[in-house]
Amino acid sequence: METVTVGMSALCQENPRRVSRLQDTSRTYELRTVPQYYEYQGAPSGVHAGDSSESQVTRNVYGNLLTNWIYSATLQLTLNDLKPAWVAKDWSFVPLDSAELAQLGDETTSESVTAHQTPLSGPLTNATFETPALRARLECSPYHEILNQSSWLRTEDLTNSSKWNVNVNPRGLKTGYELTDTSDGSSGPYRGTYLPLGNQMYATFYAHESQLICCANETNDGPGKAAIGYWSKQGPPDLYTSTNFSVMWLVGNPMEQLYEDKENLTHFIWSEPPELTGINCLPVIESADAEITVDTATKTVQSYTISGNPKNYTAAWHDRYVGHNRSTDNPGPPPLETYSEGPQGNLTASFGFVFLDALLGSSTVSSNTADPTTGVISGTEDLDDRTFNFRTKGRNMDFMSYSMLKLANDNVDTLSDPETLARLASNVFSVFFQHFVAYNISDAGGWAYQTIGAKLPPDLGCPVANLYDPDSCEKLPPLPQSTTNRTVTVHLHHRVQSIGFSEAAVWLCVSILAFLGVATILVFGLARNHFKALPRDVDTIASVLGFVYGSSHLLAWVRQHVGQKDWGQKSASSPPSSRKHKYVRPSEQNASSEPLVQMGSFTGKDGKNHWGIEIVNTNAEEERVWRTTRAEDVPLEQISARPLLPRIQRQDPLEL
């Protein structure tokens, strides 16, 4: 029975399972091929334009400076904060409309949950469908120009009173080292620090050409180890036509107090030559077809599969701040702004340039205005600009470099390895791109997504190189045509808790019950008389006689005591009243106790089995006499005066 009980307990159990169905739904977004457009104010005539178009666009990208995508990406990388929706690993996936996807999940829930099914905790409804995927990564190589230390580091004799104001400068350090500020080593009002790359190109140590003045790690024991890290464009701006940029990492022992020269210019001095690591990085944006499984409630991607090889997504780099004149419906030249008298127009920019320029300019978002005569941002770093940078004792870096340092477990020397620096830079670049893509998605799309079939407005204006010459239209390469299917088939999976039967437990219980059934039938079939109760009803005289007609001992005893008032029990050791309803065990009976009888199966005088009432007898001699002699012929003297010794058989004896 224990086996049956255990088997029955395992018959039914609650198991999670999935209810699936296919559903066609409409697709809202596709990868952006159409550049976004902005209102643009051109530079005044005769003034160096610099990057005014870029700065005017990127101001729209940062959004809320306290809650935007740069902060969320940094929190994910440094504090393991939540990832944005619709991303997995380094891929971002074109989403379905959130309201429609949630409705599909609700419909699946209502259809799948029945009386014997209950919802589970966790992702209840997942949707699997095909969608385009997008990712950004870096291809980086080390700057070999760093090996020529004299091209970017200058040795200074700090005791030279003809150059340095030794009376106000810190004492004790005789020889110091400074990052070069110009290619010829001269000083000027617009100084900058950089690494020459040849062909008039250079890489800056800061976010732009400004001179570093922070942050040392000096203690009572002298200057300690400090780290400086920034991502920056290659310069100068008027020659910057590629998308390559620099990731620079400086580790050394700078002096906390700035040194002053005879021209009252300050200098950031290092007590020893710092260790510089720099890499030249090319951003790559790729697209691919993917199949994803996403939680319809949280929009978290549970799994994904990329189909085929990723391809370079050239639409991300189609328009690089292309100016457009006003609509041809407006007669006359573009209107002039009162401020600087710059002409107005429209501007188109593809999201690859917008993201890259916003990322590289984030650490200096409050000081990204170029000099109007040179187009160069120079001077010293603005310590009041604290929006997207990290400055503390011994640390001066943008959020990207700070994130890399956290991924390197705060070990500044780890990032001095070019391979490690390149690997972590690519990882950080991918995460920032994911947050940029997922930020501020609306009905009209987002930075990297657009509504299917989106087009530029017809009154955007003609592309022009100069807003002062609105009639000189330029011909741009055509935009890619949309081929996105507006309908997508979604495979919905809903998790429920259902009652299931264990096949092994079912067969075990069936086998045990079958065995017990067969055994019961065999036992009762072969020993029916042994197990049955009364063989017949006791409702007539004949039925009473049927119980005693074969009881030779009982009949003999009755005949022996016929006519006796107390049936021969007068010599009992105790009065009948004291013996009434009292069972006396056979071993406790004395010689004068009454005989015991039983109801059950017994062997009669004829040698056959009978079912009835018979005296329990263990005396062999009396047994022989009663078996061979009729009861009426037995002399009384042949019967022992002692009581019959009982023999307990199948049932408890009954007092006669």
Side-chain angles (χ1 to χ4, degrees), residues 321-340:
Y321 307 107
V322 177
H324 298 258
N325 62 14
R326 293 295 187 180
S327 172
T328 54
D329 296 337
N330 298 329
L336 299 179
E337 286 286 336
T338 56
Y339 174 74
S340 300

Side-chain angles (χ1 to χ4, degrees), residues 14-17 113 118-124 494-498:
E14 289 187 339
N15 294 319
R17 70 184 188 93
V113 177
T118 56
L120 293 173
S121 60
L124 291 182
H494 184 71
R495 293 178 68 238
V496 296
Q497 188 92 319
S498 61

Side-chain angles (χ1 to χ4, degrees), residues 1-12 501-518:
M1 287 303 296
E2 289 80 2
T3 307
V4 178
T5 303
V6 173
M8 291 293 291
S9 65
L11 273 179
C12 302
F501 288 87
S502 171
E503 184 176 353
V506 169
W507 284 110
L508 175 62
C509 292
V510 169
S511 302
I512 294 174
L513 292 176
F515 170 77
L516 293 177
V518 172

Side-chain angles (χ1 to χ4, degrees), residues 206 213 363-367 380-389 391:
Y206 186 50
I213 58 174
S363 61
T364 56
V365 66
S366 300
S367 55
T380 59
E381 62 175 317
D382 184 5
L383 299 184
D384 294 329
D385 186 356
R386 303 174 182 176
T387 307
F388 299 124
N389 49 57
R391 291 189 180 100

Side-chain angles (χ1 to χ4, degrees), residues 217-224 256 393:
N217 185 24
E218 192 167 347
T219 64
N220 293 332
D221 298 329
E256 184 170 356
K393 190 177 183 66

Side-chain angles (χ1 to χ4, degrees), residues 27-31 94 132 452-453 481-487:
R27 190 192 297 273
T28 306
Y29 306 113
E30 64 180 350
L31 293 179
V94 176
I452 296 178
Q481 296 296 319
S482 174
T483 58
T484 304
N485 193 340
R486 294 181 178 270
T487 302

Side-chain angles (χ1 to χ4, degrees), residues 277-294:
T277 305
I279 52 177
N280 178 19
C281 295
L282 172 68
V284 178
I285 298 179
E286 297 174 319
S287 64
D289 294 327
E291 181 181 77
I292 67 171
T293 298
V294 63

Side-chain angles (χ1 to χ4, degrees), residues 58-125:
T58 54
R59 280 198 296 267
N60 298 280
V61 179
Y62 297 121
N64 190 326
L65 295 182
L66 297 178
T67 60
N68 67 8
W69 53 275
I70 296 181
Y71 277 117
S72 61
T74 305
L75 290 175
Q76 178 188 332
L77 290 165
T78 59
L79 300 178
N80 199 25
D81 201 6
L82 295 177
K83 296 181 180 179
W86 300 100
V87 303
K89 202 175 179 180
D90 54 350
W91 288 98
S92 299
F93 304 97
V94 176
L96 295 182
D97 183 78
S98 298
E100 190 163 352
L101 189 62
Q103 182 179 0
L104 289 176
D106 294 340
E107 292 176 357
T108 304
T109 301
S110 60
E111 291 178 6
S112 60
V113 177
T114 61
H116 64 283
Q117 297 171 346
T118 56
L120 293 173
S121 60
L124 291 182
T125 304

